[in-house]
Amino acid sequence: AAFGWALWRSNWRERELEALEDAIVAFHRRVDSPAVRLVSNARLLSATPAVRNDERIAEIVHSIAADAKRVDDLSRAYLEFSELVRSGRTGDAVKALEATRAWAGER
């Protein structure tokens, strides 16, 4: 019974970990495309004469582009974390997650 319980518990943890990985991948897929579009559109806006001539609008466009890039970078970092966990390199995954948290906290 104890062996069965330990096996069930191990499988339960594995299923939970797989669910977490799937959630991270799904999050990345949902966030990546809009973030890339935001960065691209901000670059297009930056190139227009109206934006270049108005300093306040240029600041806003730059801020939008910076925030979109940050979101994209964070989603890529969490995807990397997921891939490390999936490959069984949990120690490296924890280090990557801690680095991501430190990076996000600095900004």
Side-chain angles (χ1 to χ4, degrees):
F3 177 72
W5 180 83
L7 187 59
W8 172 83
R9 184 79 172 152
S10 174
N11 287 339
W12 177 78
R13 285 185 182 149
E14 188 173 322
R15 286 189 302 275
E16 289 290 316
L17 188 58
E18 287 176 5
L20 174 63
E21 292 168 1
D22 292 343
I24 290 171
V25 169
F27 169 77
H28 176 72
R29 287 182 182 148
R30 286 186 216 132
V31 169
D32 192 44
S33 293
V36 169
R37 277 195 312 272
L38 281 169
V39 170
S40 297
N41 289 338
R43 286 183 183 153
L44 287 173
L45 278 173
S46 295
T48 62
V51 172
R52 284 186 291 186
N53 294 336
D54 189 331
E55 189 175 312
R56 180 68 182 138
I57 294 174
E59 287 177 19
I60 292 170
V61 169
H62 178 70
S63 175
I64 291 170
D67 288 346
K69 180 152 178 25
R70 182 174 183 212
V71 168
D72 188 48
D73 290 345
L74 282 171
S75 69
R76 289 178 195 276
Y78 279 103
L79 183 62
E80 178 186 346
F81 164 75
S82 174
E83 290 170 355
L84 288 170
V85 169
R86 187 169 286 173
S87 68
R89 297 169 45 200
T90 53
D92 292 337
V94 169
K95 289 177 186 176
L97 186 59
E98 289 172 354
T100 301
R101 285 182 182 157
W103 176 82
E106 290 173 2
R107 294 188 169 213

